[in-house]
Amino acid sequence: MSTPSVMRTGQPCVLKGRVVTMDDGLRVITNGCIYVKDGVIVSVRKDGDKPPVGFRKAVVIQTGGTIFPGLIELHNHLSYNVLPLWDVPKRYQHRGQWPGTPLYRRDISGPMNVLGRTKGYSAAIVRYVEAKCLLAGVTTSQGISLSSNKGINRFYKGYVRNVEQPIDKSLPKARTSIRDVDPKKVEKFFADLKRTSCMLLHLSEGKGARARKHFLALQRKDESWAINRALAGIHAAALNRTDFGVMGKKNASIVWSPLSNYLLYGDTAEIASAKAEGVNITLGSDWSPSGSRNLLGELKVAAAVSDHLGGLFTKAELVSLVTRNAAKALRWQKSLGTIEAGKLADLVVISRKSGDPYDRLISATEEDVDLVMISGTARAGRAKLMKKLGKITEEVRVGSKVVALNLDPDGADEIVGKLSLADARKLLATGMRKLPELAKTLERSVASFSPKSFREEAETWYIDLDHEDGETVFALFKKTAAALKEPRKRPLSKSVQPMKLDGLTMSGDNGYRARIRRSRNLPNFLKAAFR
Ligand SMILES: [Zn+2]
C-alpha cells in the first residue's frame, strides 16, 4: 500500500492498533486494522490479513495505540461548561432546592444570563464547550439549543454528533426533557414516549421522597407504568430496588451522573440495584459547575464508585457505559457503539497498547487521546496523525502535549463560522473576568429592550439556557427587564463577580483535583480518587 501524506476527500484510510471492538463477544484484536471509507467502517481485520477491495491507495495510520468506539455522552448541559466548579454551599436533597438561590444566581444563572445574552458570546461558548468534548474523545453528546432574535429555534450543528440532530439521517433523533413529568399529564407523556426512539428525561434527581415522587409520577391510574424502552432516566438517584425492577422489566435505561450527584446531594443512585435489575446503564457528566469536566473524567468516577462497591462493574462493563450501552439507549446500536463492519466510523485512539485494554481508556487522561474521528473525519489528535488524515485548522496545548484540531469553517454552523477555539477562549476568559461590566452594559440595553426593534435587527443566535427553564431569548430578555424593575432583587451587575473560565481539560490544570477534594459533600473514597 502506498501512503500519501495527506488524505483527499473520500479517500479510504486504515487505522492500525490494538482494537477494542466492544462487540457482543467483546473481541480485542491485539494487532488490528480498521478499514474506513466514506465515513463508514468497511472491515475490521487482523494486521497481515488481506485488505478488503478498494484500499490499495488508502492512507495507513500506525496509531501505536488502543482504539475504542467514540465515547457517547447521554447527559450534559453543554452551554454551562464554561463555568468553573461551583462551591456547593450545602447538602441538598432534590433539584428544587438550589436554582433561584442567591449563590446560584451569583455563580451560575447570573453569569450564564449575562454571557448568553451578550452579543458574540454565544458563538464563543458553543465553540469552547464543543472543543471540551472533542479533546476528551467524546463523539456524541446532548446538543445545544439556540434561539434567534427572529424567533427561530434550532440545535447547534457542530462536529460532535448530537443526539437530537445526529448528522447521519439514518439515526433516529432523541428527545430531551428537563422538566419533571406532571402526574396529571402522565398519559400525554406516555403517548409522546411511545412515539419516540429515546426520551432523555431528568428523573428523580436527588435523594429521598421528594425526589422519588417524580418517578412515582410515571405510574398510571391502572397502576401500570408509563415507561418503555425509549425512556432514559437522567440521574434516577432516588429510585429504590423495586423502582429499578420496573425500569429493568421495561428495558429502560438510566444516565448515571455520580460526580454531580455526590457534589450536590452527597450520594448517588443505588447503582448496584440498577445493575441487578437489568437496567441499561449509561453515563453523563451533567455539567461543569457540579460534575466532571468531561466524560473521560466521569468514567473515572464511575470506576471509583464501582471499586468502592467491591468491584461492581468489570472494566469492560465500565467501557460499555460510554459506548455500546449508550448506543443501545438511543437505539443507535446498528450504527454506533462498537467497532464493526458497516458501522459509522466514530473512533477514539488512546496512546499505547500495553496493559489491560479496557483500563487504557478508564485511566486515560486527555493527554492520552491521540485521535478523535467522527464519521471518518479526524477532528482532534496528535499533529502527526492529523496531518496524514486531513486538515488542521489550529493547535491547542493539552497538558504537556500539543493537540491539532480540525474545526473546518467549511460546513461549520453559521453561529461559529470562522471563530477559532483560541479566539473563543480569549473572548470568554476576558468576558468572565469583567462579568459585572458586561452585566451593566446588558442592563442598559435591556432597559430599552423592545421586542419589535430587537426582531428587526440582523439575525443573531443566542444559546438557550436549559436550566433556566429552557427559555428562549425573548423570554430571557423580558425577564431581565422585569427583574430590573423589581426593587427587591439586586441587579445582575451587583450580583455577579469576576470569574475564571473553566479549563479545557483536566490535564494541565493542577488546581482542579484540589478543588474537587475541598467540596463539602464528597465522600472520602471519592476524594481519595482525586488525589
Ligand atoms: Zn441535568
Side-chain angles (χ1 to χ4, degrees), residues 73 76 78 128-138 141 160 294:
E73 168 151 71
N76 206 325
L78 287 184
Y128 190 76
V129 300
E130 185 178 32
K132 277 179 100 167
C133 292
L134 278 176
L135 293 171
V138 173
S141 182
V160 172
N294 54 46

Side-chain angles (χ1 to χ4, degrees), residues 75-77 95 142 178 202 205 234-235 286-287 467:
H75 186 50
N76 206 325
H77 305 273
R95 189 161 61 110
Q142 280 191 297
I178 314 277
H202 272 86
E205 180 178 354
I234 298 165
H235 298 298
D286 202 3
W287 61 346
H467 262 297

Side-chain angles (χ1 to χ4, degrees), residues 158-262:
Y159 306 109
V160 172
R161 204 181 286 288
N162 78 51
V163 300
E164 300 90 348
Q165 182 185 273
I167 307 173
D168 191 287
K169 290 202 168 53
S170 69
L171 298 170
K173 294 175 176 174
R175 287 178 55 180
T176 294
S177 178
I178 314 277
R179 280 186 210 170
D180 299 310
V181 174
D182 178 348
K184 282 184 230 119
K185 293 182 183 159
V186 66
E187 290 309 318
K188 174 166 186 323
F189 168 78
F190 199 29
D192 284 349
L193 191 66
K194 283 192 236 170
R195 273 196 299 267
T196 182
S197 51
C198 176
M199 170 89 79
L200 290 152
L201 170 78
H202 272 86
L203 183 64
S204 293
E205 180 178 354
K207 293 301 276 186
R210 279 285 294 275
R212 182 170 172 258
K213 85 171 197 266
H214 298 297
F215 174 76
L216 299 177
L218 301 181
Q219 192 157 33
R220 305 165 74 202
K221 273 217 180 80
D222 64 0
E223 298 200 343
S224 67
W225 292 87
I227 294 174
N228 64 20
R229 60 191 280 205
L231 181 68
I234 298 165
H235 298 298
L239 274 58
N240 62 28
R241 174 122 190 200
T242 314
D243 305 336
F244 283 125
V246 174
M247 297 276 287
K249 257 186 227 100
K250 302 280 184 187
N251 295 310
S253 303
I254 62 165
V255 189
W256 185 34
S257 295
L259 185 61
S260 182
N261 298 155
Y262 278 114

Side-chain angles (χ1 to χ4, degrees), residues 98-141:
W98 41 265
T101 59
L103 288 177
Y104 177 80
R105 186 168 185 250
R106 184 191 74 187
D107 298 333
I108 298 175
S109 64
M112 286 316 295
N113 276 323
V114 174
L115 296 171
R117 274 175 283 172
T118 301
K119 260 188 201 162
Y121 282 88
S122 288
I125 291 170
V126 295
R127 173 57 89 219
Y128 190 76
V129 300
E130 185 178 32
K132 277 179 100 167
C133 292
L134 278 176
L135 293 171
V138 173
T139 54
T140 295
S141 182

